[in-house]
Amino acid sequence: MEVGPRIIFKVMGENVTETVVFGWCISIVILIFAFCATRNMQRIPKGAQLVGELLVGFIYNMVKDAMGDISEKFTPYMGTLIVFLGFGSMLGLLDLRPITADLNCTAPLALVSFIMIHYNSIRARGFIGYNKHMASPYLWMWPLNLMSECMFPITLACRIFGNIFAGVIVMTLVYSGLATASHALGSFIPFFQIAFPLPLNFWFDMFEPILQAYIFTMLTMVYIYNGTTTDEE
Amino acid sequence: MTGFTGAELIAAFSSLGAGIAMVAMIGVGVGIGYNAGKTVESTARQPEAGGALMRLMLIGVALTETAGIFALVIAIMLLFANPLMP
């Protein structure tokens, strides 16, 4: 059983996989939607503008709830994360391979979050204050705190990758099992696949992606907030 | 030994190891169950805090799940991307 992303074409010896191509497609679709929704805006929104306003309002509320008064400048990044990861993980609904079922997609995003957390932490506390916080409560805790900080992007990347990839494997097994069952009844059309996997599709292709994208964004927000507030002094 | 090749033995024991690695899910199940139970208790005690508790529970579930997800990643590596396989 081949589970990795397929290679679509090669550019100068570099493999361009499904992950990259579908990532481009999602970006383009989101861009086109944002462009269409903001042409001739009405005071009373309807159609695409209404959907866009709901989504943007939801993201602004979510970031404001989690981060308080420093939320304004982080909201665009958080909105990008949750929309891209959410749609990227829901590609299973279109019978495509979700892009987050590839560690090469989730690890860079986790790395960006990691750099963002520590850049903002150093900027808010100063280099001395940052190191003082890393060495709290005792000096010998510094390497341990460093290790736990470095584990954060690894767990962040592995969490969404593991969840979505497990969903991909389960869905592949269920679909091939249903095809085998209907072939065993002597039919060439795999008719068992019609409505039986719908609850599983709902769980693995709609609920899990939304939950995991939300958790990815939420953990980034919580860590940035914890890194920038200096309430203990 | 009844004529197994090295690759067959590695495949067999890797499959066994993948199954054993997933035993870690026992702890994850207990942890998430405890988490959700406590959230229900707190929500029953103070229903107006339900939304905030739900958010906290989701974060807690995600952090609890990490151990199980590592076990899953190791099992997937043993099955599909085995570094020992010749």
Side-chain angles (χ1 to χ4, degrees), chain A residues 22-222:
Chain A
F22 294 161
W24 290 338
C25 294
I26 289 170
S27 312
I28 289 168
V29 167
I30 294 173
L31 265 180
I32 289 174
F33 173 76
F35 189 79
C36 293
T38 50
R39 288 317 96 182
N40 68 54
M41 295 205 285
Q42 312 285 326
R43 179 158 279 278
I44 298 169
K46 63 180 185 189
Q49 192 194 348
L50 183 63
V51 177
E53 281 190 8
L54 278 177
L55 191 61
V56 171
F58 165 75
I59 290 166
Y60 265 88
N61 277 333
M62 184 185 77
V63 182
K64 197 160 182 56
D65 279 351
M67 297 176 76
D69 31 318
I70 56 165
S71 68
E72 284 286 318
K73 62 177 177 178
F74 294 108
T75 308
Y77 176 63
M78 301 304 163
T80 312
L81 264 189
I82 195 168
V83 170
F84 184 71
L85 287 175
F87 280 103
S89 314
M90 275 196 265
L91 279 178
L93 285 178
L94 306 176
D95 200 20
L96 303 172
R97 186 191 159 82
I99 59 171
T100 43
D102 186 355
L103 206 49
N104 296 324
C105 169
T106 57
L109 289 173
L111 201 62
V112 171
S113 289
F114 175 75
I115 292 170
M116 203 155 168
I117 288 164
H118 288 271
Y119 173 73
N120 282 303
S121 181
I122 291 176
R123 213 173 63 163
R125 289 180 173 147
F127 192 67
I128 311 268
Y130 173 76
N131 276 307
K132 203 183 272 178
H133 188 78
M134 289 282 277
S136 70
Y138 307 112
L139 187 60
W140 52 267
M141 287 290 279
W142 198 91
L144 296 181
N145 277 331
L146 182 72
M147 269 162 61
S148 86
E149 292 292 337
C150 288
M151 277 307 281
F152 170 74
I154 301 174
T155 56
L156 200 61
C158 278
R159 186 177 297 120
I160 184 163
F161 161 72
N163 272 292
I164 305 297
F165 191 55
V168 169
I169 292 179
V170 171
M171 291 312 292
T172 314
L173 287 177
V174 165
Y175 271 96
S176 60
L178 288 176
T180 312
S182 41
H183 286 158
L185 289 180
S187 152
F188 286 108
I189 306 166
F191 59 89
F192 273 139
Q193 287 184 357
I194 292 175
F196 284 102
L198 266 184
L200 285 172
N201 261 321
F202 178 74
W203 180 266
F204 287 116
D205 292 333
M206 293 184 76
F207 179 70
E208 280 279 347
I210 292 173
L211 184 67
Q212 292 304 323
Y214 178 74
I215 284 172
F216 194 105
T217 318
M218 199 55 153
L219 283 176
T220 308
M221 288 192 289
V222 168

